[in-house]
Amino acid sequence: MTDRLHRFLFENADVRGEVVQLDESFTAITRRTDHEPAVDRLIGEGLAAVALLAATLKSACDLTLQLQADGPLRLLLVQAGSDGSLRAMARTGDRVPADVPIDEQAVQGTLAITIDPEKDGERYQGVVDLRGGSLGAALEHYFSESEQLPTRVWLSAREGHAAGMLIQRLPASDAADGDADAWARADQLAATITGPELREQAPGEVIRRLFHEEDIRLFDPMPFRFRCRCSRERVAAMLEGLGEAEMRETLEAEGRVEVHCDFCNEPYRFDAVDIEAMFTDPASRSPDSRQSH
């Protein structure tokens, strides 16, 4: 697996950063859909974004980035699990134009970041409007509003390659030998990165090239991978929630009930026997019977 996030820290300075590349995950997700290139790029940028955000969390959490708008892009939903799993989906209205500011792709859009702790802790959600012309700029606005930490974000996705970089100024420490100019210097150096460099150069090489004159501490890379959370059991529970009347109506009209996962496009099919068991004797849906479909 090549999808990795590399974290780094400026020694004797209150600056940290991350670089991520997600080629395999990005390709695995977009090949399951038929979105136009502009939407695929937003999916790739979203994947890089949630990986970068998840790596800033101190405890095990699931993180969701949700962009909702009036169109042409209607919805972008990207999720990262604490186990390094990634998945994403998008819905559109009209054709999404390429190479225009994000507020033209997602008119009147809002960006919500939701953090769900796996164990202790409360669910958190921060919502910001789209500004700055890109998803990266909107995330910088999110950090400014929610955490009051100066943060810069670069995202890039093209032709099967998705990548991102984040640098962040941490709260000042009491270290007597702290480098007061480190943040301004890191910001200036990081701003020289280009989209192709971020996508095509290895994360470690990106860090070395940008900050070769700095005293940098590198951490072990974090792996990421595409993994959808859908299952036949979850889909069955969703269908059961829609009600018996609707399921029997669909069954009569189409001969079966078929659902495709919005994230991975996996088909789940339920025939008359399945629907009968669903609403008369749920216990009869044994693992063996489920595997037969």
Side-chain angles (χ1 to χ4, degrees), residues 45-132:
E45 291 183 5
L47 290 168
V50 295
L52 292 170
L53 291 170
T56 67
L57 302 177
K58 297 180 180 179
S59 58
C61 299
D62 289 338
L63 188 143
T64 301
L65 179 152
Q66 182 171 322
L67 192 163
Q68 289 184 292
D70 290 339
L73 180 72
R74 301 286 180 143
L75 174 69
L76 175 66
L77 183 63
V78 192
Q79 296 178 324
S82 59
D83 60 353
S85 61
L86 297 167
R87 65 177 187 169
M89 61 167 287
R91 291 176 181 164
T92 61
D94 300 325
R95 179 177 177 82
V96 178
D99 302 321
V100 299
I102 194 170
D103 56 355
E104 295 182 26
Q105 296 173 316
V107 177
Q108 296 183 348
T110 58
L111 182 68
I113 307 295
T114 306
I115 300 171
D116 288 299
E118 282 192 358
K119 296 182 179 180
D120 299 330
E122 296 183 358
R123 185 174 186 265
Y124 166 82
Q125 184 176 76
V127 181
V128 295
D129 57 359
L130 298 179
R131 62 173 61 181

Coordinates of all heavy atoms in Angstrom, one line a residue, residues 45-132:
E45 N -9.5 15.9 -3.4 CA -9.1 16.9 -2.4 C -9.8 16.7 -1.0 O -9.2 16.9 0.0 CB -9.5 18.3 -2.9 CG -8.7 18.8 -4.1 CD -9.1 20.2 -4.6 OE1 -9.9 20.8 -3.9 OE2 -8.6 20.6 -5.6
G46 N -11.1 16.2 -1.1 CA -11.7 15.9 0.2 C -11.1 14.8 0.9 O -11.0 14.8 2.2
L47 N -10.6 13.7 0.2 CA -9.9 12.6 0.8 C -8.7 13.1 1.5 O -8.4 12.7 2.6 CB -9.6 11.5 -0.2 CG -10.8 10.8 -0.8 CD1 -10.4 9.9 -2.0 CD2 -11.4 9.9 0.3
A48 N -7.9 13.9 0.8 CA -6.6 14.4 1.4 C -7.0 15.3 2.6 O -6.3 15.2 3.6 CB -5.9 15.2 0.3
A49 N -8.1 16.0 2.5 CA -8.4 16.9 3.6 C -8.8 16.1 4.9 O -8.3 16.5 6.0 CB -9.6 17.8 3.2
V50 N -9.6 15.1 4.8 CA -10.0 14.4 6.0 C -8.8 13.6 6.6 O -8.7 13.4 7.8 CB -11.2 13.4 5.7 CG1 -12.4 14.2 5.4 CG2 -10.9 12.4 4.7
A51 N -7.9 13.1 5.7 CA -6.7 12.5 6.2 C -5.9 13.5 7.0 O -5.4 13.1 8.1 CB -5.9 11.9 5.1
L52 N -5.7 14.7 6.5 CA -4.9 15.7 7.2 C -5.6 16.1 8.5 O -4.9 16.2 9.6 CB -4.7 16.9 6.3 CG -3.9 16.8 5.1 CD1 -4.0 18.0 4.2 CD2 -2.4 16.5 5.5
L53 N -6.9 16.3 8.5 CA -7.6 16.6 9.7 C -7.6 15.5 10.7 O -7.4 15.8 11.9 CB -9.1 17.0 9.3 CG -9.3 18.3 8.5 CD1 -10.7 18.3 8.0 CD2 -9.0 19.5 9.3
A54 N -7.8 14.3 10.3 CA -7.8 13.2 11.2 C -6.5 13.0 12.0 O -6.5 12.7 13.1 CB -8.2 11.9 10.5
A55 N -5.4 13.3 11.3 CA -4.1 13.2 11.9 C -3.8 14.2 12.9 O -2.9 14.1 13.7 CB -3.0 13.2 10.8
T56 N -4.6 15.3 13.0 CA -4.4 16.3 14.0 C -5.1 16.0 15.3 O -4.9 16.7 16.3 CB -4.9 17.7 13.5 OG1 -6.3 17.7 13.4 CG2 -4.3 18.1 12.2
L57 N -6.0 15.0 15.3 CA -6.8 14.6 16.5 C -5.9 13.9 17.5 O -5.1 13.0 17.1 CB -8.0 13.8 16.1 CG -8.9 14.5 15.1 CD1 -10.1 13.5 14.7 CD2 -9.5 15.8 15.6
K58 N -6.2 14.1 18.7 CA -5.4 13.5 19.8 C -5.9 12.1 20.2 O -5.2 11.3 20.9 CB -5.3 14.4 21.0 CG -4.6 15.7 20.7 CD -4.5 16.6 21.9 CE -3.8 17.9 21.6 NZ -3.8 18.8 22.8
S59 N -7.2 11.8 19.9 CA -7.7 10.5 20.3 C -8.4 9.9 19.2 O -8.6 10.5 18.1 CB -8.7 10.7 21.5 OG -9.8 11.6 21.1
A60 N -8.8 8.6 19.3 CA -9.4 7.9 18.2 C -10.8 8.4 17.9 O -11.7 8.4 18.8 CB -9.5 6.4 18.6
C61 N -11.0 8.9 16.7 CA -12.3 9.5 16.3 C -12.6 9.2 14.9 O -11.6 9.0 14.1 CB -12.3 11.0 16.5 SG -12.0 11.6 18.2
D62 N -13.8 9.2 14.5 CA -14.2 9.2 13.1 C -14.5 10.7 12.7 O -15.1 11.4 13.5 CB -15.5 8.4 12.9 CG -15.2 6.9 13.1 OD1 -14.1 6.5 12.9 OD2 -16.2 6.2 13.4
L63 N -14.0 11.0 11.5 CA -14.1 12.4 11.1 C -14.9 12.5 9.8 O -14.6 11.7 8.8 CB -12.7 13.0 11.0 CG -12.7 14.5 10.7 CD1 -11.5 15.2 11.4 CD2 -12.6 14.8 9.2
T64 N -15.8 13.4 9.7 CA -16.6 13.5 8.5 C -16.5 15.0 7.9 O -16.7 15.9 8.7 CB -18.1 13.2 8.7 OG1 -18.2 11.8 9.2 CG2 -18.9 13.3 7.4
L65 N -16.3 15.1 6.7 CA -16.3 16.4 6.0 C -17.5 16.4 5.1 O -17.7 15.5 4.3 CB -15.0 16.6 5.2 CG -14.9 17.9 4.4 CD1 -13.4 18.3 4.3 CD2 -15.5 17.8 3.0
Q66 N -18.4 17.3 5.3 CA -19.7 17.4 4.5 C -19.8 18.8 3.9 O -20.0 19.7 4.6 CB -20.9 17.0 5.3 CG -22.2 17.0 4.6 CD -23.3 16.4 5.4 OE1 -23.1 15.4 6.1 NE2 -24.5 17.0 5.3
L67 N -19.9 18.8 2.6 CA -20.1 20.1 1.9 C -21.5 20.0 1.2 O -21.8 19.1 0.4 CB -19.0 20.3 0.8 CG -18.9 21.6 0.1 CD1 -17.6 21.8 -0.6 CD2 -20.0 21.8 -0.9
Q68 N -22.4 20.9 1.6 CA -23.7 20.9 1.0 C -23.9 22.3 0.3 O -23.5 23.3 0.8 CB -24.8 20.8 2.1 CG -24.9 19.4 2.7 CD -26.0 19.2 3.7 OE1 -25.9 19.8 4.8 NE2 -27.0 18.4 3.3
A69 N -24.6 22.2 -0.8 CA -24.8 23.4 -1.6 C -26.0 23.3 -2.5 O -26.6 22.3 -2.6 CB -23.5 23.7 -2.5
D70 N -26.3 24.4 -3.1 CA -27.5 24.5 -4.0 C -27.2 24.0 -5.4 O -28.1 23.9 -6.3 CB -28.1 25.9 -4.1 CG -28.8 26.3 -2.7 OD1 -29.1 25.4 -2.0 OD2 -28.9 27.5 -2.5
G71 N -25.9 23.8 -5.7 CA -25.5 23.3 -7.0 C -24.4 24.2 -7.7 O -24.1 25.3 -7.1
P72 N -23.9 23.7 -8.8 CA -24.0 22.5 -9.4 C -23.7 21.2 -8.5 O -24.3 20.2 -8.6 CB -23.1 22.5 -10.6 CG -22.9 24.0 -10.9 CD -22.9 24.6 -9.5
L73 N -22.6 21.4 -7.7 CA -22.4 20.3 -6.7 C -23.4 20.4 -5.6 O -23.6 21.5 -5.0 CB -21.0 20.4 -6.2 CG -20.6 19.4 -5.1 CD1 -20.4 18.0 -5.8 CD2 -19.3 19.8 -4.4
R74 N -24.1 19.3 -5.3 CA -25.1 19.4 -4.2 C -24.5 18.9 -2.9 O -24.9 19.4 -1.9 CB -26.3 18.5 -4.7 CG -27.0 18.9 -5.9 CD -27.8 20.2 -5.7 NE -28.4 20.6 -7.0 CZ -29.6 21.1 -7.0 NH1 -30.3 21.2 -5.9 NH2 -30.1 21.4 -8.2
L75 N -23.7 17.8 -3.0 CA -23.2 17.2 -1.8 C -21.8 16.6 -2.0 O -21.6 15.9 -3.1 CB -24.2 16.1 -1.3 CG -23.7 15.2 -0.1 CD1 -23.7 16.1 1.2 CD2 -24.6 14.1 0.1
L76 N -20.9 16.8 -1.1 CA -19.7 16.1 -1.0 C -19.5 15.6 0.4 O -19.5 16.4 1.3 CB -18.5 17.0 -1.4 CG -17.1 16.4 -1.3 CD1 -16.9 15.2 -2.3 CD2 -16.0 17.4 -1.4
L77 N -19.4 14.3 0.5 CA -19.3 13.7 1.9 C -18.1 12.7 1.9 O -18.1 11.8 1.1 CB -20.6 12.9 2.2 CG -20.7 12.2 3.6 CD1 -20.7 13.3 4.6 CD2 -22.0 11.4 3.6
V78 N -17.2 13.0 2.8 CA -15.9 12.3 2.9 C -15.7 11.9 4.3 O -15.9 12.8 5.2 CB -14.8 13.1 2.3 CG1 -13.5 12.2 2.1 CG2 -15.1 13.8 1.0
Q79 N -15.3 10.7 4.6 CA -15.2 10.2 5.9 C -13.8 9.5 6.1 O -13.4 8.8 5.2 CB -16.3 9.2 6.3 CG -17.7 9.9 6.3 CD -18.8 8.9 6.7 OE1 -18.7 7.8 6.3 NE2 -19.8 9.4 7.4
A80 N -13.2 9.7 7.3 CA -12.0 9.0 7.7 C -12.2 8.4 9.0 O -12.7 9.0 10.0 CB -10.8 10.0 7.8
G81 N -11.9 7.1 9.1 CA -12.0 6.4 10.4 C -10.7 6.4 11.1 O -9.6 6.6 10.5
S82 N -10.7 6.1 12.4 CA -9.5 6.1 13.2 C -8.6 5.0 12.8 O -7.4 5.0 13.2 CB -9.9 6.1 14.7 OG -10.6 4.9 15.0
D83 N -9.1 4.0 12.1 CA -8.3 2.9 11.6 C -7.6 3.2 10.3 O -7.0 2.3 9.7 CB -9.2 1.6 11.5 CG -10.3 1.8 10.5 OD1 -10.6 2.9 10.0 OD2 -11.0 0.8 10.3
G84 N -7.8 4.4 9.8 CA -7.2 4.8 8.5 C -8.0 4.5 7.3 O -7.6 4.7 6.2
S85 N -9.3 4.1 7.5 CA -10.2 3.9 6.4 C -10.7 5.2 5.9 O -11.0 6.1 6.6 CB -11.3 3.0 6.9 OG -12.1 3.6 7.9
L86 N -11.0 5.2 4.6 CA -11.5 6.4 3.9 C -12.6 5.9 2.9 O -12.6 4.9 2.3 CB -10.4 7.0 3.0 CG -9.2 7.6 3.7 CD1 -8.1 7.9 2.7 CD2 -9.5 8.8 4.5
R87 N -13.6 6.8 2.8 CA -14.7 6.6 1.8 C -15.2 8.0 1.5 O -15.1 8.9 2.2 CB -15.7 5.7 2.3 CG -16.6 6.1 3.4 CD -17.7 5.1 3.7 NE -18.6 5.6 4.7 CZ -19.8 5.0 5.0 NH1 -20.1 3.9 4.4 NH2 -20.6 5.5 6.0
A88 N -15.9 8.1 0.3 CA -16.4 9.4 -0.2 C -17.5 9.2 -1.2 O -17.6 8.2 -1.9 CB -15.2 10.2 -0.8
M89 N -18.4 10.2 -1.3 CA -19.4 10.2 -2.2 C -19.7 11.6 -2.6 O -19.4 12.6 -1.9 CB -20.7 9.5 -1.7 CG -21.3 10.2 -0.5 SD -23.0 9.7 0.0 CE -23.9 10.5 -1.4
A90 N -20.4 11.8 -3.8 CA -20.7 13.1 -4.3 C -22.1 13.0 -5.0 O -22.4 12.0 -5.6 CB -19.7 13.7 -5.2
R91 N -22.8 14.1 -4.9 CA -24.1 14.2 -5.7 C -24.1 15.6 -6.4 O -23.7 16.6 -5.8 CB -25.3 14.1 -4.8 CG -25.5 12.7 -4.2 CD -26.7 12.6 -3.3 NE -26.8 11.3 -2.7 CZ -27.5 11.0 -1.7 NH1 -28.2 12.0 -1.0 NH2 -27.6 9.7 -1.2
T92 N -24.5 15.6 -7.6 CA -24.5 16.8 -8.4 C -25.9 17.1 -9.0 O -26.8 16.2 -9.1 CB -23.5 16.7 -9.6 OG1 -23.9 15.6 -10.4 CG2 -22.1 16.4 -9.0
G93 N -26.1 18.3 -9.4 CA -27.3 18.7 -10.1 C -27.0 18.9 -11.5 O -27.0 18.0 -12.4
D94 N -26.5 20.1 -11.8 CA -26.0 20.4 -13.2 C -24.5 20.0 -13.3 O -23.9 19.5 -12.4 CB -26.1 21.9 -13.4 CG -27.6 22.4 -13.3 OD1 -28.5 21.6 -13.7 OD2 -27.8 23.5 -12.9
R95 N -24.0 20.2 -14.5 CA -22.6 19.9 -14.8 C -21.7 20.8 -13.9 O -21.9 22.0 -13.9 CB -22.3 20.1 -16.2 CG -20.8 19.9 -16.6 CD -20.6 20.0 -18.1 NE -19.2 19.8 -18.4 CZ -18.6 18.7 -18.6 NH1 -19.3 17.6 -18.5 NH2 -17.3 18.6 -18.9
V96 N -20.8 20.2 -13.2 CA -19.9 21.0 -12.4 C -18.7 21.5 -13.2 O -17.9 20.7 -13.8 CB -19.4 20.1 -11.2 CG1 -18.4 20.9 -10.3 CG2 -20.5 19.6 -10.4
P97 N -18.6 22.8 -13.3 CA -17.5 23.4 -14.1 C -16.1 23.1 -13.4 O -16.0 23.1 -12.2 CB -17.8 24.9 -14.1 CG -18.6 25.1 -12.8 CD -19.4 23.9 -12.6
A98 N -15.1 23.0 -14.3 CA -13.8 22.8 -13.8 C -13.0 24.1 -13.8 O -13.3 25.0 -14.4 CB -13.0 21.8 -14.7
D99 N -12.0 24.1 -12.9 CA -11.0 25.2 -12.8 C -11.7 26.5 -12.6 O -11.4 27.6 -13.2 CB -10.2 25.3 -14.1 CG -9.4 24.0 -14.4 OD1 -8.9 23.4 -13.4 OD2 -9.3 23.6 -15.6
V100 N -12.7 26.5 -11.7 CA -13.3 27.7 -11.2 C -13.3 27.7 -9.7 O -13.2 26.6 -9.1 CB -14.8 27.9 -11.8 CG1 -14.8 27.9 -13.3 CG2 -15.7 26.7 -11.3
P101 N -13.5 28.8 -9.0 CA -13.6 28.8 -7.6 C -14.7 27.9 -7.0 O -15.7 27.7 -7.7 CB -13.9 30.3 -7.2 CG -13.4 31.1 -8.4 CD -13.6 30.2 -9.6
I102 N -14.4 27.3 -5.9 CA -15.3 26.3 -5.3 C -16.7 26.9 -5.0 O -17.7 26.2 -5.1 CB -14.7 25.7 -4.0 CG1 -15.5 24.4 -3.7 CG2 -14.7 26.7 -2.9 CD1 -14.9 23.6 -2.6
D103 N -16.8 28.2 -4.8 CA -18.1 28.7 -4.5 C -19.0 28.9 -5.8 O -20.2 29.1 -5.7 CB -18.1 30.1 -3.8 CG -17.2 31.1 -4.5 OD1 -16.6 30.7 -5.5 OD2 -17.1 32.2 -4.1
E104 N -18.3 28.6 -7.0 CA -19.1 28.6 -8.2 C -19.5 27.1 -8.5 O -20.4 26.8 -9.2 CB -18.3 29.1 -9.4 CG -18.0 30.6 -9.2 CD -17.2 31.2 -10.4 OE1 -17.4 30.6 -11.5 OE2 -16.5 32.2 -10.3
Q105 N -18.7 26.2 -8.0 CA -19.0 24.8 -8.1 C -20.1 24.3 -7.1 O -20.9 23.5 -7.4 CB -17.8 23.9 -7.9 CG -16.7 24.1 -9.0 CD -15.4 23.4 -8.7 OE1 -15.0 23.4 -7.5 NE2 -14.8 22.7 -9.7
A106 N -20.1 25.0 -5.9 CA -21.0 24.6 -4.9 C -21.6 26.0 -4.4 O -21.2 26.6 -3.4 CB -20.3 23.9 -3.7
V107 N -22.6 26.4 -5.1 CA -23.2 27.7 -4.8 C -23.9 27.7 -3.5 O -24.6 26.8 -3.1 CB -24.2 28.1 -6.0 CG1 -24.9 29.4 -5.7 CG2 -23.5 28.1 -7.3
Q108 N -23.6 28.8 -2.7 CA -24.2 29.0 -1.4 C -23.9 27.8 -0.5 O -24.7 27.3 0.3 CB -25.7 29.2 -1.4 CG -26.0 30.5 -2.1 CD -27.5 30.8 -2.1 OE1 -28.3 30.0 -1.8 NE2 -27.9 32.0 -2.5
G109 N -22.7 27.2 -0.7 CA -22.3 26.0 0.1 C -21.8 26.3 1.5 O -21.3 27.4 1.8
T110 N -22.0 25.3 2.3 CA -21.4 25.3 3.7 C -20.6 24.1 3.9 O -20.9 23.0 3.3 CB -22.5 25.4 4.8 OG1 -23.4 24.2 4.6 CG2 -23.3 26.7 4.6
L111 N -19.6 24.2 4.7 CA -18.7 23.1 5.0 C -18.8 22.7 6.5 O -18.6 23.6 7.3 CB -17.3 23.5 4.7 CG -16.2 22.4 4.9 CD1 -16.4 21.3 3.9 CD2 -14.8 23.0 4.7
A112 N -19.2 21.5 6.8 CA -19.3 21.0 8.1 C -18.2 19.9 8.4 O -18.1 19.0 7.6 CB -20.7 20.4 8.4
I113 N -17.6 20.1 9.5 CA -16.6 19.1 10.0 C -17.2 18.5 11.3 O -17.4 19.2 12.2 CB -15.2 19.7 10.3 CG1 -14.7 20.5 9.1 CG2 -14.2 18.6 10.7 CD1 -14.4 19.7 7.9
T114 N -17.4 17.1 11.3 CA -17.9 16.4 12.4 C -16.9 15.4 12.9 O -16.4 14.7 12.2 CB -19.2 15.7 12.0 OG1 -20.1 16.6 11.4 CG2 -19.9 15.1 13.2
I115 N -16.7 15.5 14.2 CA -15.8 14.6 14.9 C -16.6 13.7 15.9 O -17.2 14.2 16.8 CB -14.7 15.4 15.6 CG1 -13.9 16.2 14.6 CG2 -13.7 14.4 16.4 CD1 -12.9 17.2 15.2
D116 N -16.5 12.4 15.7 CA -17.2 11.5 16.6 C -16.2 10.6 17.3 O -15.6 9.7 16.8 CB -18.1 10.5 15.8 CG -19.4 11.3 15.2 OD1 -20.1 11.8 16.1 OD2 -19.5 11.3 14.0
P117 N -16.0 10.9 18.6 CA -15.1 10.0 19.4 C -15.5 8.6 19.5 O -16.7 8.3 19.6 CB -15.1 10.7 20.8 CG -15.7 12.1 20.6 CD -16.6 11.9 19.4
E118 N -14.6 7.7 19.4 CA -14.9 6.2 19.5 C -15.4 5.8 20.9 O -16.2 5.0 21.0 CB -13.7 5.4 19.0 CG -13.5 5.4 17.5 CD -12.5 4.3 17.1 OE1 -12.0 3.6 18.0 OE2 -12.3 4.2 15.9
K119 N -14.8 6.5 21.9 CA -15.1 6.1 23.2 C -15.7 7.3 24.0 O -16.8 7.7 23.7 CB -13.9 5.5 23.9 CG -13.4 4.2 23.3 CD -12.2 3.6 24.0 CE -11.8 2.3 23.4 NZ -10.6 1.7 24.1
D120 N -14.9 7.8 24.9 CA -15.3 8.9 25.7 C -15.2 10.2 24.9 O -14.5 10.3 24.0 CB -14.5 9.0 27.0 CG -14.6 7.8 27.9 OD1 -15.6 7.1 27.8 OD2 -13.6 7.4 28.6
G121 N -16.0 11.2 25.3 CA -16.0 12.5 24.7 C -17.3 12.8 24.0 O -18.1 11.9 23.7
E122 N -17.5 14.0 23.7 CA -18.7 14.5 23.0 C -18.5 14.7 21.5 O -17.4 15.0 21.1 CB -19.2 15.8 23.7 CG -19.6 15.7 25.1 CD -20.1 17.0 25.7 OE1 -20.1 18.0 24.9 OE2 -20.5 17.0 26.9
R123 N -19.6 14.5 20.8 CA -19.6 14.7 19.4 C -19.4 16.2 19.1 O -20.1 17.0 19.8 CB -20.9 14.2 18.7 CG -20.9 14.3 17.2 CD -22.2 13.6 16.8 NE -22.3 13.5 15.4 CZ -23.0 14.3 14.6 NH1 -23.6 15.4 15.1 NH2 -23.1 14.2 13.3
Y124 N -18.6 16.6 18.2 CA -18.3 18.0 17.9 C -18.6 18.2 16.4 O -18.3 17.4 15.5 CB -16.9 18.4 18.2 CG -16.5 19.7 17.5 CD1 -16.8 20.9 18.2 CD2 -15.8 19.7 16.3 CE1 -16.4 22.1 17.6 CE2 -15.5 21.0 15.7 CZ -15.8 22.1 16.4 OH -15.5 23.3 15.8
Q125 N -19.2 19.4 16.1 CA -19.4 19.8 14.7 C -19.1 21.3 14.5 O -19.6 22.1 15.3 CB -20.8 19.5 14.2 CG -21.0 19.8 12.7 CD -22.3 19.4 12.2 OE1 -23.3 20.1 12.5 NE2 -22.4 18.3 11.5
G126 N -18.3 21.6 13.6 CA -18.0 23.0 13.2 C -18.5 23.3 11.8 O -18.3 22.4 10.9
V127 N -19.2 24.4 11.6 CA -19.7 24.7 10.3 C -19.2 26.1 9.8 O -19.2 27.0 10.6 CB -21.2 24.7 10.3 CG1 -21.8 25.0 8.9 CG2 -21.8 23.4 10.8
V128 N -18.7 26.1 8.6 CA -18.2 27.4 8.0 C -18.7 27.5 6.6 O -19.1 26.5 6.0 CB -16.7 27.5 8.1 CG1 -16.1 27.5 9.5 CG2 -16.0 26.4 7.2
D129 N -18.8 28.8 6.1 CA -19.1 28.9 4.7 C -17.9 28.8 3.8 O -16.8 28.8 4.3 CB -19.8 30.3 4.5 CG -18.9 31.5 4.9 OD1 -17.8 31.2 5.4 OD2 -19.3 32.6 4.8
L130 N -18.1 28.6 2.5 CA -17.0 28.5 1.6 C -16.5 29.9 1.3 O -17.2 30.7 0.8 CB -17.5 27.8 0.3 CG -18.0 26.4 0.5 CD1 -18.5 25.8 -0.9 CD2 -17.0 25.5 1.1
R131 N -15.2 30.0 1.5 CA -14.5 31.3 1.1 C -13.1 31.0 0.7 O -12.5 30.0 1.1 CB -14.6 32.2 2.3 CG -13.9 31.8 3.6 CD -13.8 32.9 4.6 NE -15.1 33.3 5.1 CZ -15.3 34.2 6.0 NH1 -14.3 34.8 6.5 NH2 -16.6 34.5 6.3
G132 N -12.6 31.9 0.0 CA -11.2 31.8 -0.4 C -11.0 31.1 -1.8 O -9.9 31.0 -2.3

